[in-house]
Amino acid sequence: RKEVEQDPGPFNVPEGATVAFNCTYSNSASQSFFWYRQDCRKEPKLLMSVYSSGNEDGRFTAQLNRASQYISLLIRDSKLSDSATYLCVVNEENFVFGPGTRLSVLP
Amino acid sequence: DAGITQSPRHKVTETGTPVTLRCHQTENHRYMYWYRQDPGHGLRLIHYSYGVKDTDKGEVSDGYSVSRSKTEDFLLTLESATSSQTSVYFCAISDGTHEEDTQYFGPGTRLTVL
């Protein structure tokens, strides 16, 4: 079975901290990669796509390592509003979602 | 935000009754998906559609059927609901026109089967 795995957490970090999430995937033929954010009792929302060269969007940096089949998300200067579950998503023939990593940013 | 609505947003029903959930989009996207989300399992694909009247099964399709008679509507039917189908159901859409196409989700339907 094709799988996407993540550390479920929770990650409890103070405001201003840097936190990193990793995700591994099993299908080497996977085509594209994404991070989604899901707030409690809400729908998942796209946070950012993940490119082979790595990409940055403000405080968020995503990286892809195809050889090792893992994806990472780095959040710098954490805010209270970053508290959510972060889903790693891999597009094979269909989108495959990881179980999510829960982040709590504490005051 | 993508124009996706789901109805109903909440439903409580009894075992053995039929239930239909509706997903409606205003984005004219080709692909539509139904997922269920349960604690410890993440999002799991039930069925998807790649065009009007074109559907296919996902990972957890048993006990579910779908129909898509118009581009904008994708219906999920539980012919005879069971307690194991208590879940949060999300509809998603995607354009499907390029390699890095991504999915956009509706607000979800919370279904409880007693």
Side-chain angles (χ1 to χ4, degrees), chain A residues 70-91:
Chain A
Y70 82 79
I71 307 152
S72 65
L73 176 68
L74 183 76
I75 305 175
R76 292 181 299 278
D77 188 22
S78 299
K79 312 291 185 192
L80 295 176
S81 57
D82 293 334
S83 297
T85 297
Y86 290 83
L87 307 176
C88 174
V89 184
V90 174
N91 188 3

Side-chain angles (χ1 to χ4, degrees), chain A residues 4-7 11 18-25 32-36 47-57 59-76 86-90 101:
Chain A
V4 176
E5 297 184 340
Q6 299 180 249
D7 182 340
F11 284 56
T18 295
V19 61
F21 305 136
N22 290 325
C23 164
T24 59
Y25 61 95
S32 51
F33 310 87
F34 309 91
W35 284 101
Y36 276 70
L47 179 65
M48 58 197 305
S49 301
V50 187
Y51 304 120
S52 296
S53 55
N55 49 300
E56 189 174 306
D57 182 3
R59 298 181 293 109
F60 298 84
T61 300
Q63 293 196 312
L64 167 65
N65 185 320
R66 283 188 184 269
S68 301
Q69 295 180 206
Y70 82 79
I71 307 152
S72 65
L73 176 68
L74 183 76
I75 305 175
R76 292 181 299 278
Y86 290 83
L87 307 176
C88 174
V89 184
V90 174
T101 297

Side-chain angles (χ1 to χ4, degrees), chain B:
Chain B
D1 289 345
I4 313 168
T5 57
Q6 292 185 231
S7 59
R9 295 292 314 279
H10 302 270
K11 186 169 183 66
V12 179
T13 192
E14 293 187 349
T15 297
T17 60
V19 176
T20 295
L21 308 183
R22 180 180 182 241
C23 177
H24 179 78
Q25 60 143 331
T26 58
E27 305 295 323
N28 200 35
H29 279 8
R30 177 183 175 191
Y31 290 83
M32 298 185 76
Y33 310 81
W34 278 107
Y35 291 90
R36 61 178 290 174
Q37 188 173 37
D38 306 286
H41 288 281
L43 281 154
R44 292 182 291 175
L45 182 64
I46 304 171
H47 282 279
Y48 67 98
S49 169
Y50 47 96
V52 173
K53 293 186 171 31
D54 293 323
T55 66
D56 206 350
K57 295 179 179 180
E59 177 188 356
V60 290
S61 59
D62 287 349
Y64 302 94
S65 62
V66 290
S67 66
R68 191 167 178 200
S69 58
K70 299 184 289 184
T71 298
E72 56 266 36
D73 289 327
F74 193 31
L75 304 181
L76 177 71
T77 297
L78 292 65
E79 299 290 348
S80 178
T82 66
S83 58
S84 64
Q85 293 176 311
T86 293
S87 187
V88 180
Y89 291 86
F90 287 103
C91 174
I93 64 174
S94 68
D95 194 13
T97 57
H98 55 92
E99 183 179 292
E100 292 181 359
D101 181 40
T102 188
Q103 293 187 349
Y104 300 93
F105 285 82
T109 295
R110 292 189 173 273
L111 176 67
T112 302
V113 183
L114 301 176

